[in-house]
Amino acid sequence: MKEVFSTDKKRVRMAVLGMGRQGQIHSKNIAYKIPEAELVCVSDISIERAEKVGIEGVELYDDYKEILERDDIDAVVIATSTDTHEQIIKETAEAGKDMFCEKPIALTLEDIDEVLDIVDKAGVKFMVGFNRRFDPTFMRVKEHVIDGNVGEPHIVNITSRDPKPPHLEYLKVCGGIFFDTSVHDFDMARFLADEEIVEVYAAGSVLVDERIGELGDLDTTMINFKFANGAVGSINNSRKTGYSYDQRVEIFGSNGCAVGKNERPNQVELTNPEGTHKDVPLYFNIERYPEAFFGEVKAFVESVYNDEEPPVTGEDGRKAVVLSIAAKKSYEENRPVKVSEIG
């Protein structure tokens, strides 16, 4: 993606919908760090929450539809709750505005296909928020693959574990662990290996909180998968580590192995008679991925500003959900599932 900003070109006038944690982050990145963009307004169903953005000159709304009616808004960031994405994407496309949306696009494949068809017919730019592609550590792993330092990828291993479970109200609407957590890791596997996954086998349990099981969900999962070229991989997810946020990737190939390790608040090691000690990894995604959150929105803005295709498309979002559906089916039927069975 080009990083070109010309004072002769009009800045991208933007709005952010949803002022939860993610919306607040995107708003501040747009307002303070991206010269190609101008944050014009934000919305949230709670005007009090919208007020917390605290950016001078930004207009506040409690109804996002009023923003979509404005002719002076070029692009929209959708950071509302998961269950609202489908409808808001459709309305934003029909309003003729380019958009960045947090995953997932929708919760069923049929709904995703309908949404992408509407977006395509509207001719607007659409980017899905898989932020980990823009993390400097994981980008460096990808560079080693591109440069041939790893050789032909043979094995991709991904660890993604949260420090503690989300609150139950979130768990009721997030779609389940395969769609809320594993979906990021499926995208990362495709991104790192530059290959399509063709088969998955998922196992899981409720080991952290029985209330998660009562919602029909899992909190501990292991997914094995196979790429189209014969390479294999694994994803392990947990809703609770008990120590911190555990985010690691490994890609092993014919020439070498590239490993992306956890980020820590400092690089100090203490060695004494009891052993060698480090601080625990950064606590959660807000602390772990600030550069990634900035990078993904910057990439979206640049795609609009330079009239280019966004680096993470609606089709990327669809493929990750297809893999999540396959993982869920595999768990429920206790068998390997070919992705072709899903679509």
Side-chain angles (χ1 to χ4, degrees):
M1 183 70 66
K2 300 175 184 175
E3 295 190 14
V4 178
F5 175 55
S6 169
T7 55
D8 296 330
K9 291 176 69 173
K10 173 179 168 287
R11 289 197 294 172
V12 181
R13 290 174 59 84
M14 299 187 66
V16 178
L17 315 183
M19 283 293 103
R21 182 174 58 185
Q22 209 61 55
Q24 297 273 344
I25 291 171
H26 292 323
S27 296
K28 290 178 171 62
N29 280 332
I30 293 167
Y32 299 135
K33 296 183 178 181
I34 304 177
E36 301 95 330
E38 175 186 357
L39 182 63
V40 178
C41 51
V42 303
S43 75
D44 196 277
I45 55 174
S46 166
I47 199 67
E48 291 79 13
R49 191 158 53 216
E51 289 172 347
K52 291 181 180 179
V53 72
I55 301 173
E56 185 176 355
V58 172
E59 300 174 50
L60 309 178
Y61 290 82
D62 59 7
D63 185 353
Y64 71 88
K65 295 183 180 182
E66 295 180 28
I67 292 177
L68 298 183
E69 292 172 356
R70 292 183 55 159
D71 295 330
D72 62 338
I73 300 298
D74 303 312
V76 169
V77 171
I78 302 170
T80 55
S81 61
T82 296
D83 55 336
T84 66
H85 290 182
E86 176 189 347
Q87 184 61 32
I88 296 177
I89 294 169
K90 292 177 181 177
E91 292 175 271
T92 304
E94 290 165 354
K97 303 187 188 305
D98 298 324
M99 73 192 97
F100 170 100
C101 184
E102 293 293 343
K103 60 81 186 167
I105 299 169
L107 295 179
T108 70
L109 197 55
E110 293 78 13
D111 290 339
I112 290 172
D113 288 339
E114 181 184 358
V115 166
L116 294 182
D117 184 58
I118 291 171
V119 168
D120 184 59
K121 288 178 179 177
V124 297
K125 290 180 173 56
F126 180 55
M127 178 169 166
V128 179
F130 285 126
N131 65 286
R132 297 177 192 177
R133 290 189 182 210
F134 301 89
D135 172 69
T137 295
F138 297 161
M139 288 174 70
R140 184 61 178 143
V141 172
K142 173 71 171 180
E143 288 171 1
H144 281 306
V145 177
I146 293 172
D147 294 342
N149 298 327
V150 170
E152 179 184 354
H154 290 175
I155 301 172
V156 177
N157 292 318
I158 299 175
T159 293
S160 182
R161 305 169 186 157
D162 295 343
K164 65 178 182 180
H167 56 78
L168 291 178
E169 291 305 310
Y170 175 81
L171 290 171
K172 291 177 182 178
V173 300
C174 74
I177 192 169
F178 293 123
F179 296 90
D180 185 48
T181 300
S182 309
V183 69
H184 276 290
D185 305 310
F186 280 129
D187 182 71
M188 180 55 56
R190 293 183 57 245
F191 172 68
L192 290 176
D194 197 25
E195 283 285 341
E196 297 300 338
I197 296 171
V198 297
E199 184 176 87
V200 302
Y201 177 59
S205 299
V206 179
L207 303 175
V208 172
D209 189 333
E210 63 183 16
R211 294 175 298 176
I212 295 175
E214 291 168 0
L215 294 174
D217 199 4
L218 305 166
D219 57 35
T220 307
T221 60
M222 185 73 183
I223 305 167
N224 292 314
F225 56 84
K226 181 183 290 185
F227 290 103
N229 66 352
V232 296
S234 70
I235 295 167
N236 71 85
N237 298 132
S238 174
R239 288 294 194 184
K240 182 182 179 182
T241 64
Y243 48 89
S244 196
Y245 198 36
D246 197 350
Q247 299 282 289
R248 291 172 282 146
V249 303
E250 175 194 65
I251 183 158
F252 168 81
S254 57
N255 291 342
C257 182
V259 178
K261 297 183 178 181
N262 283 316
E263 300 290 335
R264 301 176 189 276
N266 58 68
Q267 300 302 311
V268 175
E269 289 186 5
L270 170 66
T271 301
N272 59 23
E274 284 74 43
T276 299
H277 313 274
K278 302 178 184 178
D279 285 353
V280 296
L282 294 167
Y283 183 67
F284 213 176
N285 60 347
I286 300 303
E287 295 84 4
R288 171 64 181 82
Y289 289 120
E291 297 95 342
F293 293 136
F294 165 69
E296 64 178 352
V297 171
K298 180 175 174 58
F300 169 68
V301 170
E302 288 176 349
S303 72
V304 176
Y305 187 78
N306 296 316
D307 193 22
E308 300 170 341
E309 184 177 29
V312 189
T313 65
E315 186 61 24
D316 289 317
R318 183 188 190 276
K319 287 179 177 179
V321 171
V322 166
L323 293 167
S324 297
I325 293 171
K328 186 172 187 289
K329 183 179 181 69
S330 172
Y331 167 74
E332 291 173 344
E333 299 181 7
N334 191 29
R335 67 176 180 89
V337 170
K338 293 188 181 300
V339 176
S340 58
E341 297 179 42
I342 309 300

